[in-house]
Amino acid sequence: MAQASRVGALVSRRGLTSVKQAGYDRFQRALLEGRLRPGQLVSQRDLVSMLALSIGALRELLPRLETEGLVTVMPQRGIQITMIDLPMVRDAFQMRMAFEREAVMMAVRRMPDEPLVEQRRIHSVMLERAVADSSAALFDECQDIDTSFHKLFIDGTENELLIQAYEINSIRIRLIKLDRIKLSPTSLPGAFGDHLKVLDAVLNRDLHAAIDAMDQHMLNARERAMEL
């Protein structure tokens, strides 16, 4: 009986964890799809409906969202989605720079050439396509490539703590991009040009050049975000 109780409790905890993770994933999608906007004030009832959660599951989820700086629970008023302001932009990019610098250092030392060469090919193809194609679909594709570029280096660290912390911060970065620095015909050449400099430095196994190139890329992106 005791064994059955322990198994039942474990299954119950796993079920609760899966519900909370599903709610978290739905919250993230709602943010990135624009159904929840930075600074918006919503009620628990609104979120329960939008995320298809029970009120209990939402209340289990809210502490995580608060800890990660994605919402602020305001008693008697509701739940405020994180604001995109200059301090938030500055702090998010400072954290991102630290993560990406460590990732590119490790890439210089141990990442094989093949994925780097493939990334270089993809970037070059997209830059050529953008000369004649300025459609929204192309720039959506470029946004995915941008995400994959950075994910390649972060995942390459094989450091689960760093990867998890980066993923949390990347939600803020993606919100900033949607609000302020989404790729466009004006910004794409500079952003992808920065990526190519990083890739070339890593392929050349030039540690200092790779760090400098990634730092400059982060500074350029931050400046674009803070200008708006």
Side-chain angles (χ1 to χ4, degrees):
M1 290 292 292
Q3 179 67 21
S5 296
R6 285 196 295 271
V7 171
L10 179 60
V11 170
S12 178
R13 285 197 298 273
R14 285 176 176 171
L16 179 59
T17 298
S18 65
V19 169
K20 288 168 66 177
Q21 185 60 46
Y24 182 85
D25 292 342
R26 292 170 195 164
F27 178 85
Q28 186 178 147
R29 283 199 301 274
L31 278 178
L32 299 178
E33 292 170 0
R35 289 182 285 125
L36 289 171
R37 300 295 302 170
Q40 180 181 355
L41 195 65
V42 295
S43 67
Q44 288 193 15
R45 181 176 295 180
D46 292 334
L47 284 181
V48 162
S49 175
M50 182 179 295
L51 305 181
L53 295 174
S54 68
I55 190 68
L58 177 63
R59 288 172 178 166
E60 291 280 347
L61 175 62
L62 285 175
R64 176 181 179 182
L65 298 178
E66 278 201 288
T67 299
E68 295 182 4
L70 297 176
V71 303
T72 301
V73 177
M74 307 174 72
Q76 311 304 318
R77 293 188 60 196
I79 300 158
Q80 185 173 43
I81 309 305
T82 189
M83 298 281 290
I84 296 178
D85 54 18
L86 292 184
M88 186 267 216
V89 172
R90 182 191 61 238
D91 292 349
F93 272 97
Q94 185 175 21
M95 182 175 288
R96 187 184 186 193
M97 183 179 289
F99 291 146
E100 304 245 10
R101 181 181 295 172
E102 177 67 20
V104 83
M105 288 169 62
M106 296 184 73
V108 167
R109 297 188 180 109
R110 70 186 192 190
M111 185 173 287
D113 285 356
E114 289 78 6
L116 298 164
V117 170
E118 177 62 10
Q119 278 287 320
R120 203 185 192 295
R121 184 192 67 78
I122 292 169
H123 278 69
S124 297
V125 167
M126 296 308 292
L127 283 171
E128 290 177 8
R129 283 179 57 189
V131 172
D133 182 1
S134 58
S135 67
L138 181 131
F139 288 99
D140 286 343
E141 189 175 348
C142 288
Q143 288 288 168
D144 291 339
I145 291 167
D146 178 86
T147 299
S148 297
F149 167 83
H150 292 284
K151 186 172 171 56
L152 172 68
F153 291 107
I154 295 298
D155 288 352
T157 67
E158 299 180 355
N159 180 323
E160 286 303 315
L161 290 177
L162 188 153
I163 291 168
Q164 289 174 19
Y166 181 88
E167 286 298 322
I168 293 169
N169 194 56
S170 73
I171 300 173
R172 302 186 192 99
I173 295 294
R174 290 169 73 183
L175 283 175
I176 292 167
K177 286 182 177 180
L178 288 172
D179 189 66
R180 291 170 174 251
I181 54 172
K182 192 171 183 180
L183 289 174
S184 67
T186 303
S187 63
L188 179 67
F192 272 27
D194 285 352
H195 288 186
L196 290 172
K197 289 176 184 177
V198 173
L199 291 166
D200 287 343
V202 176
L203 282 165
N204 290 331
R205 307 299 160 181
D206 188 330
L207 181 62
H208 294 297
I211 293 171
D212 288 347
M214 184 60 84
D215 281 354
Q216 190 60 55
H217 177 46
M218 293 294 99
L219 289 170
N220 289 343
R222 187 185 69 180
E223 288 306 308
R224 287 198 303 273
M226 294 185 74
E227 284 173 1
L228 302 177

